[in-house]
Amino acid sequence: MSSRQIILGAAAGYTKKQIGPFITSLRAHGYGGQVALFTHQLDTPTQAYFAQQGIQALPLLPPVLSGRYHWIASRVFIPLMRSLAKPHLHEHFWRLGEVWMHFMNARFVAYLRYLENTLSLYDEIIITDVRDVIFQGNPFGYSYGCG
């Protein structure tokens, strides 16, 4: 096992019971490396379980808008703001997604933000779902090749 490996995922409102099979199967197959999960609304027992298992909990910003307001922001307000922004800011505008997207979409912006700041620390990275994933072996025990 290399210390330059990381598994990233997201857990919004999940409990220890829902996340347990992911972590248990991962550890049972010999992976002792870093696991970082973007989280939102975890209960206290689940937070304690993360600490016990050495899982890094990275808080994801809660969305500012929801429901029909979310739709208005994504279809009207954000594009309008982008069109009014100075041209050199356009390429960075998608980063606002973490606060106006639904959690299941915003996690991808969060993954990118995290990796932009830590990429030099890792040689191998796996981004995966959490609740519906069971490991049948060490995920880094295979040769995937480049890419």
Side-chain angles (χ1 to χ4, degrees):
M1 186 230 28
S2 167
S3 60
R4 295 186 51 86
Q5 299 169 334
I6 187 169
I7 295 175
L8 293 174
Y14 292 170
T15 63
K16 175 184 172 184
K17 182 178 179 181
Q18 292 169 304
I19 298 173
F22 173 88
I23 296 170
T24 302
S25 65
L26 182 62
R27 298 301 191 211
H29 291 290
Y31 180 73
Q34 188 173 357
V35 178
L37 300 180
F38 283 91
T39 63
H40 180 60
Q41 298 178 331
L42 291 184
D43 60 22
T44 304
T46 305
Q47 291 174 20
Y49 180 64
F50 273 33
Q52 175 192 13
Q53 293 296 320
I55 307 299
Q56 183 180 8
L58 305 168
L60 187 68
L61 299 172
V64 174
L65 302 170
S66 61
R68 70 177 152 180
Y69 301 109
H70 175 267
W71 186 91
I72 292 169
S74 63
R75 305 296 193 292
V76 178
F77 184 65
I78 299 296
L80 177 63
M81 285 176 52
R82 184 172 188 262
S83 69
L84 296 174
K86 296 184 186 237
H88 70 278
L89 297 175
H90 286 190
E91 66 185 77
H92 301 288
F93 223 80
W94 60 269
R95 294 172 190 275
L96 290 173
E98 196 173 347
V99 294
W100 62 266
M101 288 179 174
H102 185 276
F103 175 83
M104 297 323 303
N105 296 323
R107 64 187 166 146
F108 296 106
V109 177
Y111 297 150
L112 181 60
R113 176 178 45 83
Y114 179 81
L115 290 172
E116 282 178 332
N117 293 312
T118 62
L119 190 59
S120 64
L121 301 175
Y122 306 110
D123 293 324
E124 298 176 292
I125 301 162
I126 292 179
I127 297 176
T128 180
D129 285 344
V130 174
R131 186 178 59 184
D132 57 354
V133 172
I134 304 289
F135 292 95
Q136 297 180 3
N138 184 329
F140 292 105
Y142 305 93
S143 177
Y144 296 107
C146 231

